Amino acid sequence: MRRKVLLAGLVILAGCTLYNEVAVTPLNLLPTNIERGSDLQSMLRKNDYLRAIEMASVVDGRQNRNAADLGALGSAYLAAGRYDDARERLRAALDLDPFRTTYAQIAWDLSQVEYLANNYESSLEWAQIAVERGLNVRKWHMDYLTALSKIPVYEFSGATRERLGFRFGKPEVPRINVKLHGTREVEGIVDSGAVLSIISRRLADSLPVRQLGTFEGTFYGLLGEPIQVNFGMVDQLELGDMVIRNVPVAIMPDDKMRFLVSKDKRIEFRMDFLLGSNLLKEFRLELDFGAHRVTFTKLTAADRRPDPDQNLFFHGFRPHVRGAVNRRGWYLFILDTGSEITFLNQSRLKSLPVQLFGSGAHSATLQGLGGAMKHGAKLENVEVGVDRWGGKFKTLPMYTSDEKEMAFGIIGQNFLKNFDVVIDFGRMRVDLNRR
């Protein structure tokens, strides 16, 4: 929220036949092919959160504990979705009264912990402390937290597990039927790459959706285009017999929620609703790409026990999966069920084991939200691996992002659809089962 915010990574390509050519093989990584940090700070820079967490007993057991290491350990727990452990270390760091900028960053991490735990009032309090200590947090984010601070979000009733059919089209992203406000059935895209659930202005006005104030936020699509949004609250959302009340959404202009899927025939794909990661994190998702079924299982407090070998992490309020590139690891990728294509982040290429120059670099035409078109580079014959599987891509396009973005790329549908996929925000794992 402090820098440019990528609301959704929904991007398609013109003439994308080659981008579906993926050869899947078992992924075996040698320990020597996994880059490790030597201290807590370098572990965080390398996104090696589990190794940092292994240092907890050392950091906690020191007679003279220091705020920097406690803060780093708290950041690792935050990324890993282990919120109680994160609170404990981050608050212990603040008790040591660190330097002003360190104090502000730790307070911001605590704000993120409470945000992801849906404790918006506490998230606002910590964000205010971070601002008081000099951190630049966007005003609209503060307004958003203020608007949510007294609302009981994500109130569930009815079924706790629902299996729904999903379908593909152009673009190839999973779409399900959802019911809004108990009356309107609409097509919703399951989009884990979206920070927030998104609704079109025309649909929001017709329901109507309750607006959260008059403030606007500026988000950015994957191609860098600014998108002005308002914020609202869907009073009721139904997934089959599962009912969820008070679902926060971003309200986006209609012209920003469309793609041109056929330039010759001028055929457009218009979206009205996306289920983003702010909602999806409340579930264990099972995507059966053979039967075209998705199962939503509501998580309980007892279900939120991250696996010792978790590979799912949060950064910037969005889920990232630990992956490998050309049999070397680990690198974080945005887990984006709403993207047709798997991408590499061109801004991070120098840190990846890929050939930067030569005959493999070619141009790809990308299309982002609002129909924005951009030419980007692409590479050939690159393997990207997740869980126990690697996918050798004949052609892999690239996008350009903020240089401070942690992600090395995006895992999209042309890789995921080769498996039955389990995204478990309780165990914080992505499991791929080859069909």
Side-chain angles (χ1 to χ4, degrees):
M1 293 295 181
R2 293 164 52 206
R3 297 188 294 272
K4 288 184 178 180
V5 176
L6 285 170
L7 176 63
L10 222 164
V11 173
I12 66 174
L13 292 101
C16 60
T17 302
L18 288 176
Y19 299 97
N20 287 318
E21 296 186 21
V22 182
V24 175
T25 57
L27 176 67
N28 296 305
L29 291 186
L30 297 174
T32 53
N33 284 350
I34 300 175
E35 192 174 356
R36 300 291 194 183
S38 57
D39 56 68
L40 276 171
Q41 302 301 329
S42 63
M43 291 172 195
L44 286 190
R45 288 194 299 271
K46 297 178 185 298
N47 313 125
D48 198 0
Y49 301 119
L50 296 185
R51 187 173 174 86
I53 288 171
E54 290 174 0
M55 299 286 293
S57 60
V58 175
V59 174
D60 292 339
R62 288 173 181 161
Q63 185 172 359
N64 296 316
R65 298 197 295 176
N66 68 78
D69 281 351
L70 282 169
L73 183 57
S75 294
Y77 277 123
L78 161 61
R82 307 182 188 202
Y83 303 135
D84 289 340
D85 290 314
R87 289 187 189 96
E88 179 183 346
R89 273 61 178 204
L90 293 169
R91 289 176 178 173
L94 293 185
D95 288 341
L96 298 175
D97 196 23
F99 186 68
R100 185 169 182 262
T101 55
T102 302
Y103 198 110
Q105 182 57 56
I106 293 171
W108 176 244
D109 281 351
L110 278 164
S111 180
Q112 293 180 74
V113 168
E114 302 303 343
Y115 182 98
L116 291 168
N118 302 328
N119 300 322
Y120 296 109
E121 190 170 9
S122 294
S123 180
L124 174 62
E125 292 172 357
W126 285 115
Q128 289 170 335
I129 292 172
V131 170
E132 290 167 1
R133 299 287 175 135
L135 198 68
N136 180 26
V137 179
R138 296 183 186 276
K139 185 179 182 303
W140 65 258
H141 180 64
M142 305 296 287
D143 292 336
Y144 179 67
L145 293 178
T146 301
L148 291 180
S149 61
K150 303 297 183 182
I151 300 175
V153 298
Y154 311 124
E155 291 187 316
F156 282 80
S157 61
T160 59
R161 189 171 187 268
E162 269 294 345
R163 191 180 188 211
L164 305 175
F166 71 80
R167 54 196 171 275
F168 279 113
K170 290 186 178 182
E172 287 193 355
V173 290
R175 309 151 193 203
I176 62 173
N177 290 335
V178 301
K179 187 179 286 186
L180 303 179
H181 286 200
T183 58
R184 181 73 69 85
E185 190 166 282
V186 302
E187 183 179 78
I189 296 173
V190 182
D191 188 0
S192 61
V195 174
L196 290 176
S197 296
I198 307 171
I199 192 168
S200 68
R201 169 53 69 183
R202 63 182 175 181
L203 180 56
D205 289 344
S206 68
L207 284 170
V209 166
R210 177 167 31 120
Q211 286 219 165
L212 296 175
T214 58
F215 59 94
E216 284 190 341
T218 302
F219 291 151
Y220 293 82
L222 185 65
L223 304 185
E225 66 278 14
I227 304 170
Q228 299 297 317
V229 299
N230 296 108
F231 300 91
M233 185 70 65
V234 171
D235 291 334
Q236 182 170 305
L237 183 151
E238 296 174 43
L239 302 172
D241 292 329
M242 183 185 295
V243 180
I244 314 160
R245 294 189 59 82
N246 297 330
V247 178
V249 293
I251 303 172
M252 186 175 287
D254 298 336
D255 65 339
K256 298 299 183 183
M257 296 187 69
R258 61 180 176 82
F259 286 94
L260 188 65
V261 296
S262 174
K263 289 194 296 184
D264 295 335
K265 298 181 180 180
R266 305 298 296 177
I267 298 174
E268 290 186 341
F269 171 60
R270 290 182 174 271
M271 301 166 285
D272 277 313
F273 193 70
L274 283 75
L275 290 80
S277 63
N278 65 320
L279 174 60
L280 298 178
K281 66 178 174 55
E282 304 299 313
F283 298 101
R284 180 182 191 265
L285 296 172
E286 300 169 62
L287 290 154
D288 183 339
F289 285 95
H292 280 199
R293 295 277 183 177
V294 56
T295 302
F296 293 85
T297 303
K298 179 190 178 298
L299 295 174
T300 66
D303 295 324
R304 295 190 180 277
R305 298 287 186 271
D307 192 279
D309 190 32
Q310 71 180 90
N311 60 3
L312 187 62
F313 301 92
F314 274 102
H315 182 76
F317 306 103
R318 185 157 51 177
H320 290 62
V321 65
R322 182 184 66 190
V325 177
N326 287 340
R327 304 279 161 144
R328 301 195 69 88
W330 294 109
Y331 306 100
L332 285 188
F333 286 79
I334 296 168
L335 180 64
D336 195 350
T337 58
S339 177
E340 274 194 303
I341 306 298
T342 298
F343 295 87
L344 287 182
N345 181 351
Q346 191 168 2
S347 301
R348 304 300 301 272
L349 276 188
K350 291 182 180 179
S351 302
L352 289 174
V354 296
Q355 181 67 43
L356 298 182
F357 305 104
S359 60
H362 304 287
S363 177
T365 301
L366 312 181
Q367 183 180 174
L369 286 173
M373 304 289 288
K374 184 177 181 180
H375 291 287
K378 62 183 180 181
L379 297 176
E380 293 179 350
N381 299 317
V382 177
E383 185 188 71
V384 175
V386 173
D387 189 28
R388 298 169 293 115
W389 299 96
K392 187 67 169 290
F393 290 81
K394 183 175 179 61
T395 310
L396 196 60
M398 293 182 283
Y399 68 97
T400 302
S401 73
D402 186 325
E403 292 183 357
K404 295 183 179 180
E405 182 184 318
M406 298 296 289
F408 285 84
I410 292 172
I411 300 295
Q413 287 296 344
N414 60 340
F415 179 71
L416 294 175
K417 70 181 181 182
N418 293 284
F419 310 93
D420 291 331
V421 181
V422 177
I423 305 172
D424 191 336
F425 287 101
R427 294 173 56 242
M428 294 297 288
R429 269 201 62 86
V430 177
D431 293 298
L432 305 180
N433 301 304
R434 188 80 163 109
R435 292 195 307 277

